[in-house]
Amino acid sequence: MKINIKSIGACAALALACFGTTSCNDALDLKPVNQITPDDFYKSADQLAAYLNNYYAGYLSNPYTDMFHVEGRYNDGMAHSDANTDIFVQGNGNTRLYSDKHWEVPSGKVLQGYYGGVRIYNFLLDKINKSLAANTLAKDAAVKNYLGEAYFFRALSYFNLLANYGDVPVVKEVLPDENSAIVQNSVRTPRNEVARFILTDLDSAINNLYNRSVFKGQRVNKEAALLLKSRIALFEATFEKYHKGSGRVPGDANWPGARMTYNQGKTFNIDGEISFFLQEAMNAAKQVADKVELTANNHKMNPDDGQTTSRNNYFEMFSQPSLAEVPEVLLWRQYSSALSITHDVPMRTKVGCNDGFTRAFTQSFLMANGKPIYAAGSGYQGDKTLDAVKSNRDERLQLFVWGESNKVDTDPAASKPRKLYAAPGDTLSYITTSVVETRCITGYQPRKYYTYDYAQSMNDELRGTNACPIFRTAEAMLNYMEACYELTGALDATAQGYWKALRKRAGVDVNYQTTIDATDLSQEGDWSVYSGTTPVSTTLYNIRRERMNELFS
């Protein structure tokens, strides 16, 4: 989001100019600005935008903004969104999740708190729809767009509820502060119906939103809503498919909702629901993936001396201040030194952040010839050095994880070290282990989101202004591929084309069948080998591998 503070000064100057030619009575007749009521507001597109602006940062993934993250850890940006998974760890670990069917129950009324967000958008939707019906709000494209944003954010709020709790109450209006009304609306809706409601909200958003081109990806748009729809539909389909019979899916014999009087008489065709959601995921994903091309990778791993950019558009997609002209990034967050809205990601990806990628994750990347590292004839060089680990591998590993040969600065006259890690026998390095918050605890340090603009990455906090990508077209391709395979057990021509495009950009042989044929699930070390306790097919595993290697943060 970008707010032009300079415009305030311009308005003030204009007001002073007008004051000299306008009677005092006219000014005195105006209502005090601190007494604006709901009846006086929601009358223009600008007012709707102002309402929504208050909530953008709180409802979209935006980890750049917090200097300190969970457990007091410093911030290396999007990387920490993978923390405590099997691909990325942080120093303090996670003490809230337990094995063998045990978990920590949150204290307080957490579920109730989530509904605060739902109320925000129910309130706005009510105001807009009533104003449109009363003809007190223009029915133009701008108003429709902000109506679409409200539907988008309500859908996102409900998705957070669905992902955390499953069956939840669906509340579509602002409830009065009366116990009877609240109790009446507190019955839980079966999760498949919640998911269908979310997709309906997203359809309303898609039908009203501008295309990305209008705000250049700085506001929610039609393509972003389509991508979110594909993500949620795929999530619900695979949840129901792989949790069926666990008691967490409506219609299961031990589903708690079956005992509730408000669900009596309901029947559930979960196989039909799974097919519905998978088809919805494919339809929405294809509308994005067919419209927007991937950002090109010129296969250059390092910038030349004197360059402040890497001269590789794929690398720079995560390392530049503006993504307005990068169509693959459907939605992004802007930062500004002038407005004191900055982050410390460039420095933290250089000096360390008490975290790191796991060895199993680095081993998941394919060789350039498309073979897993353990396959005969792969050409894997071993892991005595980071450069050896990355040699002739998928270029996403080469670009976005530091190695001994990666430059940390491009000034040949600089007195500071020019490499992040010291090669064997070389003592010249940035890395130290004496300070906890500036260490890489695994040795595999994130390079994604690093910038060669030294003004941002110098040894000082909060100088970063590189943009934060939130939604990318690549995910739409992956969503289509996975949904297609889950639905049909095969990949259609569209899915095959997407997979080849992603592999080509990554510098990997586009013949994915070579990979599938050479895959031995017993030698793969990440959790995506399984759904529950059952190994998946080698094809599905490799689709999941592609997702992990493309979308890791």
Side-chain angles (χ1 to χ4, degrees):
M1 292 290 300
K2 179 171 67 176
I3 301 173
N4 189 350
I5 300 298
K6 293 181 180 179
S7 65
I8 297 175
C11 291
L14 180 61
L16 288 172
C18 292
F19 185 74
T21 58
T22 308
S23 71
C24 292
N25 288 338
D26 291 339
L28 293 174
D29 287 339
L30 296 174
K31 293 182 180 180
V33 293
N34 65 341
Q35 296 180 16
I36 294 176
T37 67
D39 291 336
D40 299 315
F41 206 66
Y42 313 105
K43 297 293 180 65
S44 70
D46 288 344
Q47 291 173 336
L48 303 182
Y51 182 102
L52 289 157
N53 288 348
N54 289 320
Y55 303 107
Y56 253 77
Y59 285 86
L60 289 173
S61 174
N62 186 30
Y64 280 17
T65 54
D66 298 325
M67 180 176 174
F68 298 95
H69 190 49
V70 293
E71 310 290 350
R73 190 172 63 82
Y74 285 89
N75 185 358
D76 51 1
M78 296 288 282
H80 69 224
S81 64
D82 287 328
N84 300 307
T85 67
D86 60 334
I87 74 169
F88 192 82
V89 294
Q90 63 183 42
N92 293 325
N94 190 319
T95 61
R96 297 182 177 89
L97 301 179
Y98 301 86
S99 60
D100 193 26
K101 301 180 181 179
H102 293 81
W103 58 90
E104 181 180 351
V105 178
S107 60
K109 299 178 180 179
V110 179
L111 183 62
Q112 177 178 314
Y114 277 110
Y115 277 95
V118 171
R119 186 187 185 281
I120 287 169
Y121 300 108
N122 280 345
F123 178 85
L124 182 58
L125 287 166
D126 179 71
K127 288 294 180 184
I128 295 175
N129 286 321
K130 285 182 177 177
S131 295
L132 288 172
N135 293 317
T136 57
L137 186 61
K139 297 178 181 179
D140 58 25
V143 168
K144 286 182 59 181
N145 178 74
Y146 298 121
L147 176 64
E149 288 191 20
Y151 279 116
F152 176 94
F153 282 116
R154 187 170 73 173
L156 187 58
S157 298
Y158 269 108
F159 179 48
N160 290 333
L161 285 162
L162 176 69
N164 281 285
Y165 301 103
D167 302 349
V168 294
V170 172
V171 181
K172 304 177 187 178
E173 58 188 19
V174 178
L175 300 178
D177 189 13
E178 299 171 0
N179 189 63
S180 60
I182 294 171
V183 170
Q184 184 180 353
N185 285 274
S186 295
V187 299
R188 290 178 180 259
T189 302
R191 64 172 301 132
N192 64 305
E193 295 179 19
V194 177
R196 281 179 174 263
F197 167 72
I198 293 170
L199 297 195
T200 299
D201 260 8
L202 286 172
D203 285 338
S204 296
I206 292 162
N207 290 334
N208 285 285
L209 285 166
Y210 285 134
N211 291 325
R212 181 198 184 276
S213 58
V214 175
F215 291 114
K216 299 289 187 179
Q218 289 185 268
R219 293 194 76 96
V220 168
N221 51 70
K222 190 183 300 291
E223 292 88 344
L226 283 163
L227 178 56
L228 182 61
K229 182 180 179 181
S230 75
R231 179 190 296 182
I232 293 172
L234 178 59
F235 168 85
E236 184 59 23
T238 51
F239 184 95
E240 292 181 18
K241 179 175 180 177
Y242 292 110
H243 290 82
K244 188 178 178 182
S246 69
R248 302 177 69 185
V249 176
D252 285 352
N254 53 342
W255 173 56
R259 301 192 300 268
M260 305 302 171
T261 57
Y262 49 78
N263 284 325
Q264 298 308 303
K266 289 185 177 181
T267 58
F268 300 95
N269 176 9
I270 293 303
D271 289 338
E273 292 293 280
I274 293 168
S275 295
F276 166 78
F277 287 118
L278 290 173
Q279 191 63 63
E280 288 291 295
M282 291 173 64
N283 292 343
K286 191 173 188 299
Q287 291 181 66
V288 178
D290 285 353
K291 183 177 181 180
V292 184
E293 292 186 1
L294 296 176
T295 300
N297 172 14
N298 68 359
H299 314 293
K300 187 173 184 178
M301 300 298 110
N302 279 303
D304 295 328
D305 285 346
Q307 290 181 349
T308 55
T309 65
S310 73
R311 296 293 174 89
N312 183 330
N313 288 338
Y314 187 33
F315 185 90
E316 291 297 315
M317 182 163 59
F318 308 97
S319 305
Q320 60 185 350
S322 174
L323 295 169
E325 304 306 325
V326 183
E328 179 180 340
V329 180
L330 306 177
L331 185 66
W332 57 283
R333 171 70 182 258
Q334 187 174 28
Y335 295 84
S336 168
S337 296
L339 300 180
S340 298
I341 304 173
T342 58
H343 53 77
D344 62 346
V345 175
M347 193 197 82
R348 286 291 156 185
T349 51
K350 178 175 70 176
V351 302
C353 206
N354 196 27
D355 55 25
F357 295 115
T358 62
R359 181 171 182 265
F361 174 60
T362 64
Q363 290 180 321
S364 73
F365 287 88
L366 299 172
M367 303 300 295
N369 60 18
K371 293 185 176 183
I373 59 173
Y374 52 76
S378 71
Y380 181 51
Q381 300 297 307
D383 59 0
K384 290 185 177 180
T385 67
L386 290 165
D387 280 353
V389 168
K390 300 201 299 177
S391 178
N392 296 317
R393 300 286 295 281
D394 184 322
E395 290 180 9
R396 291 170 292 201
L397 176 64
Q398 296 188 54
L399 281 168
F400 301 128
V401 177
W402 286 100
E404 294 90 355
S405 296
N406 292 130
K407 298 177 181 179
V408 74
D409 69 82
T410 60
D411 182 1
S415 59
K416 54 189 176 298
R418 302 192 61 211
K419 300 292 179 63
L420 188 70
Y421 285 110
D426 182 3
T427 60
L428 193 62
S429 170
Y430 260 105
I431 293 300
T432 64
T433 57
S434 59
V435 181
V436 170
E437 67 265 22
T438 58
R439 63 180 181 176
C440 176
I441 61 178
T442 65
Y444 304 108
Q445 185 163 319
R447 188 183 179 219
K448 211 171 192 177
Y449 307 103
Y450 183 67
T451 176
Y452 286 91
D453 175 9
Y454 185 64
Q456 292 191 58
S457 63
M458 63 190 300
N459 293 347
D460 193 6
E461 301 287 354
L462 297 177
R463 291 180 176 270
T465 56
N466 282 338
C468 174
I470 297 172
F471 290 126
R472 289 198 290 126
T473 300
E475 184 189 344
M477 294 180 168
L478 291 160
N479 291 351
Y480 185 97
M481 289 161 51
E482 187 171 346
C484 179
Y485 188 82
E486 291 281 10
L487 181 63
T488 68
L491 295 172
D492 63 18
T494 298
Q496 293 177 40
Y498 294 158
W499 202 352
K500 290 176 181 178
L502 289 167
R503 288 169 68 109
K504 181 179 180 180
R505 179 168 72 175
V508 176
D509 185 344
V510 298
N511 185 0
Y512 56 82
Q513 194 59 48
T514 298
T515 306
I516 294 169
D517 293 342
T519 298
D520 179 354
L521 294 182
S522 68
Q523 298 198 59
E524 298 290 350
D526 61 271
W527 292 343
S528 53
V529 166
Y530 300 95
S531 281
T533 58
T534 304
V536 299
S537 71
T538 53
T539 300
L540 181 56
Y541 169 71
N542 278 291
I543 293 171
R544 292 177 175 182
R545 184 210 302 269
E546 195 71 46
R547 175 183 294 277
M548 175 174 60
N549 293 167
E550 176 61 35
L551 298 183
F552 80 94
S553 297

